[in-house]
Amino acid sequence: MDETTPVPVPPAPGEPWEVRSAGPWTHRDLAANGARFHIAELGEGPLVLLVHGWPEYWWAWRHQLTALAAAGFRAVALDLRGMGGSDRTPRGYDPGNLALDVTGVIRSLGERQAHLVGHATGGTLAWVAAVMRPSVIRSLTVVSAAHPRHLRRALLTDRRQIAAFEHVLGFQRPWIPERRLVADDGALVGEYLRAWTGPNMLPAEAVAAYRKAIQVPSTAHCSIEPYRWLMRSMARPDGIQFARRMKKQITAPVLHVQGASDPVLLSRTALGAGEFVSAPYRWRLLPGVGHFPHEEVPEEFTAELIEWVRQHQGD
């Protein structure tokens, strides 16, 4: 970050946690795809929409919000359905519907197109959105997320990737996972975050924030519903149809960022997604980085991101 970049201020010790954290950004709600979504936005210019993964919420992108705004972009961080400050609906957690949430928010922001950035679950939705609504996506930046067809194949054939998804397999049980996630002030989320990072651990205030976020009523249940769909749909017609649909070539330029030390989504699972991209594709493997590049090495990641979106503003 340079001297002109506003710096996000962490909450003071003992300050109550609030999903709409104060900062240089503005909070508001939007209606899209039959639900209400919370966003934080900052800056003016071409839209860059940032979509978090699990167990985070919009605040995961605090570093990128300020840097993108300083670089001349309209930066918007979205809370996914069922998480953060967005609606917790009883259904609608399959990837097709969640991707329509994302593209619907772009339209509700009054924009025709966006540079879409997604981490983990948000990265999966970026792949899906680019297939379902290609005209809306100007560029993709996918972080810690394999192409859905590669992930499906790995979860059927790769023992190492299956073992790395042990938590996802545990989520398939009814109700027990939800109780474990909220127990002891969200202690299990803290354990996951520490286990999934590289040497650059997440700051204590970030771990505390995500532990609090999972305890918001219904969040634990809603936030793991996409993982339940992922595993349970493997042999169902809807899962097979989804996998077939994802064969379609992506026409937006793709920056694919992966931590080399990610213990959750293995590099070998993420590798090779360019076979599904007919536009420019760049693979960026970050040595010593775990599952959260945007938080573990925010300056390095953000520099890559800004360079990519600037390069493809006219695409």
Side-chain angles (χ1 to χ4, degrees):
M1 295 183 185
D2 59 33
E3 294 180 357
T4 65
T5 305
V7 178
V9 180
E15 182 179 311
W17 177 81
E18 170 57 54
V19 70
R20 297 171 188 253
S21 306
W25 38 71
T26 299
H27 296 278
R28 63 188 177 108
D29 296 317
L30 297 172
N33 197 29
R36 179 192 58 84
F37 296 92
H38 165 250
I39 63 163
E41 61 182 328
L42 183 64
E44 296 181 354
L47 175 62
V48 181
L49 182 63
L50 305 147
V51 187
H52 65 86
W54 192 90
E56 299 182 322
Y57 61 105
W58 75 268
W59 194 69
W61 301 109
R62 60 199 178 279
H63 302 289
Q64 289 74 40
L65 279 170
T66 53
L68 283 164
F73 293 94
R74 181 188 185 188
V76 175
L78 165 69
D79 276 334
L80 285 170
R81 180 186 295 254
M83 302 184 74
S86 294
D87 276 352
R88 287 145 178 80
T89 57
R91 57 188 62 85
Y93 297 95
D94 61 279
N97 194 62
L98 292 173
L100 291 178
D101 289 347
V102 172
T103 56
V105 164
I106 294 170
R107 295 297 197 193
S108 292
L109 286 165
E111 302 279 359
R112 294 180 59 250
Q113 285 189 318
H115 299 279
L116 183 56
V117 183
H119 168 252
T121 301
T124 298
L125 300 182
W127 290 120
V128 180
V131 166
M132 295 181 65
R133 296 289 186 270
S135 64
V136 179
I137 310 303
R138 183 171 291 182
S139 77
L140 284 186
T141 300
V142 178
V143 189
S144 308
H147 188 277
R149 286 188 62 84
H150 285 179
L151 180 60
R152 175 185 173 86
R153 182 178 64 194
L155 291 175
L156 290 171
T157 63
D158 188 337
R159 291 183 179 179
R160 284 185 58 197
Q161 183 59 71
I162 294 167
F165 260 42
E166 180 183 8
H167 63 291
V168 173
L169 299 177
F171 289 163
Q172 305 310 307
R173 296 173 294 175
W175 300 115
I176 294 174
E178 287 90 336
R179 292 170 184 167
R180 292 189 66 215
L181 287 170
V182 301
D184 299 322
D185 195 28
L188 183 58
V189 165
E191 293 177 16
Y192 284 145
L193 292 169
R194 284 185 286 273
W196 295 350
T197 50
N200 296 316
M201 304 292 289
L202 301 191
E205 66 267 16
V207 175
Y210 302 135
R211 288 177 62 175
K212 290 293 185 184
I214 203 68
Q215 296 177 72
V216 176
S218 298
T219 301
H221 173 71
C222 295
S223 71
I224 64 176
E225 283 292 272
Y227 294 112
R228 286 175 167 153
W229 185 92
L230 172 67
M231 301 307 298
R232 297 174 185 180
S233 68
M234 285 284 189
R236 292 194 321 227
D238 57 335
I240 295 169
Q241 182 180 15
F242 170 72
R244 288 174 179 161
R245 188 172 192 180
M246 289 305 298
K247 288 181 180 180
K248 184 179 177 182
Q249 287 285 298
I250 289 168
T251 57
V254 178
L255 170 63
H256 197 178
V257 181
Q258 176 68 30
S261 300
D262 188 340
V264 182
L265 194 282
L266 304 183
S267 299
R268 69 190 200 182
T269 304
L271 188 65
E275 70 172 290
F276 297 106
V277 182
S278 59
Y281 172 84
R282 184 181 183 194
W283 167 254
R284 184 75 168 88
L285 189 65
L286 304 179
V289 176
H291 192 57
F292 305 96
H294 55 302
E295 294 213 65
E296 294 177 53
V297 286
E299 292 188 0
E300 180 181 357
F301 171 81
T302 305
E304 290 273 352
L305 171 61
I306 291 175
E307 178 188 357
W308 185 255
V309 295
R310 278 179 171 163
Q311 183 180 348
H312 297 287
Q313 284 189 67
D315 290 349

